[in-house]
Amino acid sequence: MLKQSVSVVIPMIKENKNITQVIDSVVTSLENSSLVQDKEIIIVSRDALSKQTEFVRENYPNIKIYISNSRASYGEVSNKGLFKATGNIIVLITETTLLPTDYFDVVIPQFEKTNIFAASVVARFPEDGRSTNCYAPIFTSRHVNYKTCEVPSTSYTLTFDRSNVAILREKLIQLGGFNLLFAPDASGDTDLFLRGWMHCWKSCFLTTTHCDLLEPVDSHLVRGATDKIRIEREYNDMLLRKLYLPQRQQPLLMIHNILLFILSIVIPLDIFKPTRMASLKYIKNYNKILSSKRWRYSTFEIDLPLLNQRFF
């Protein structure tokens, strides 16, 4: 297996006294991996004069530090680090995540497979035993909800919990990083991996190792309230339903969307505007969406019948 160059990006959104533990876990994991060739650690801070930034600058001279806007969202801070990174594989972690020593030996081999875009491992909060697990969408022809599920082995996923995710740099640049429309919440996490799916790229969730969290990661499925975000939310929900609904329910999905579109025209209320605009975007990209369906059925180390039984 070829060795890879790796960049680890750590956005520093708030003051955290445990940053030493986080950095040390990254250094140890990088040094223990036989698959890492060149490596760099990047920290992006929102405050050039914060105690945390000064501490890192003084005690870790080999770490690259970049400063973002003091009011920058998570997406903006992350993008700054992601686009400064030079490694073939970029690992994005929070400032409260401790990587296991075998992290890179687990995630790097995934990128040898066809069309892999990103990979993540289980994250656990040791104090109460909670784990972030895999986000499994629950679908009907009318709406999309989410729940966290334990999966027995490698599984597809369309969203991560922010604690850790390894991304192929070439593909990330092609997508343009996180969509800042979703700032300051993190709905863009789902948006990013959905855009990857539109290119027939896979993102996988791995259960063979786990990282520990110094603090629990808040749910990132909160939606914004602006019209633009509502339109993107509706569009993303349409894509999710198209991706995961069983074949027998696909006609119901199309009928449902058509009826909603007609209703939004007949009753031109502002509440129907996001649905109308999202439907137009869906129709415009329909051919591309159909071709992207290959993502679901591509060869991969996954038990599709089991997932169908558990999640669909």
Side-chain angles (χ1 to χ4, degrees):
M1 182 173 296
L2 295 176
K3 293 185 177 181
Q4 298 284 351
S5 59
V6 174
S7 298
V8 179
V9 177
I10 310 173
M12 291 202 305
I13 305 299
K14 58 184 179 180
E15 288 291 326
N16 180 9
K17 299 179 181 179
N18 299 308
I19 192 64
T20 299
Q21 291 177 259
V22 175
I23 293 175
D24 290 347
S25 76
V26 172
V27 172
T28 301
S29 186
L30 285 169
E31 291 179 347
N32 284 355
S33 176
S34 60
L35 301 180
V36 175
Q37 187 172 23
D38 301 318
K39 51 185 177 288
E40 66 177 355
I41 301 175
I42 294 174
I43 284 181
V44 184
S45 174
R46 295 196 295 184
D47 186 356
L49 301 179
S50 70
K51 293 181 180 179
Q52 183 173 305
T53 305
E54 288 298 325
F55 175 82
V56 173
R57 186 177 287 115
E58 292 175 4
N59 293 274
Y60 298 93
N62 294 328
I63 290 180
K64 299 177 182 179
I65 300 177
Y66 297 97
I67 308 301
S68 185
N69 188 294
S70 61
R71 295 185 177 181
S73 67
Y74 175 83
E76 291 175 292
V77 175
S78 298
N79 277 351
K80 190 174 185 69
L82 293 173
F83 293 129
K84 291 290 186 181
T86 59
N88 294 331
I89 296 174
I90 304 174
V91 175
L92 180 66
I93 68 171
T94 66
E95 57 200 335
T96 59
T97 299
L98 303 179
L99 294 185
T101 55
D102 61 345
Y103 182 84
F104 295 98
D105 288 339
V106 170
V107 299
I108 288 179
Q110 304 304 315
F111 295 93
E112 295 287 327
K113 301 172 184 177
T114 304
N115 286 337
I116 286 292
F117 172 48
S120 178
V121 306
V122 178
R124 294 178 180 171
F125 186 49
E127 289 193 12
D128 61 9
R130 278 183 292 169
S131 61
T132 52
N133 292 314
C134 183
Y135 280 96
I138 310 169
F139 300 93
T140 71
S141 58
R142 296 179 56 191
H143 64 273
V144 181
N145 291 323
Y146 295 86
K147 67 177 180 179
T148 55
C149 293
E150 293 185 3
V151 291
S153 60
T154 299
S155 171
Y156 289 135
T157 185
L158 284 172
T159 182
F160 295 107
D161 58 25
R162 285 192 179 183
S163 63
N164 73 97
V165 58
I167 308 173
L168 198 62
R169 178 175 176 271
E170 179 183 3
K171 291 180 168 61
L172 177 72
I173 292 175
Q174 187 173 337
L175 292 179
F178 289 105
N179 184 352
L180 299 186
L181 172 68
F182 291 97
D185 67 77
S187 300
D189 293 9
T190 302
D191 175 81
L192 177 64
F193 299 107
L194 264 175
R195 284 186 280 130
W197 166 67
M198 291 286 286
H199 288 74
C200 301
W201 300 338
K202 308 168 188 172
S203 297
C204 57
F205 180 85
L206 310 169
T207 59
T208 51
T209 191
H210 74 275
C211 59
D212 286 331
L213 304 177
L214 298 173
E215 297 176 8
V217 176
D218 295 331
S219 172
H220 61 302
L221 301 173
V222 178
R223 304 291 189 177
T226 67
D227 282 345
K228 288 184 177 180
I229 293 177
R230 287 194 183 103
I231 292 170
E232 291 300 314
R233 178 196 65 191
E234 292 283 347
Y235 178 67
N236 284 344
D237 285 352
M238 289 178 186
L239 292 181
L240 284 166
R241 292 196 298 271
K242 182 64 180 175
L243 172 63
Y244 275 104
L245 277 178
Q247 289 296 317
R248 64 182 179 274
Q249 294 188 31
Q250 292 291 340
L252 292 177
L253 172 62
M254 182 57 67
I255 293 171
H256 175 72
N257 289 338
I258 292 173
L259 290 176
L260 281 180
F261 180 68
I262 294 173
L263 183 63
S264 69
I265 295 176
V266 174
I267 308 176
L269 299 177
D270 289 342
I271 192 174
F272 293 124
K273 181 180 177 181
T275 299
R276 181 168 62 252
M277 300 304 295
S279 298
L280 287 173
K281 185 174 181 180
Y282 184 86
I283 294 170
K284 181 180 178 180
N285 293 308
Y286 191 69
N287 288 335
K288 189 175 182 180
I289 293 170
L290 285 180
S291 66
S292 301
K293 194 175 178 182
R294 294 194 304 271
W295 185 91
R296 177 180 176 185
Y297 299 107
S298 299
T299 302
F300 198 63
E301 292 179 3
I302 186 172
D303 190 340
L304 282 176
L306 177 61
L307 284 185
N308 278 321
Q309 180 180 3
R310 290 173 64 92
F311 297 156
F312 305 144

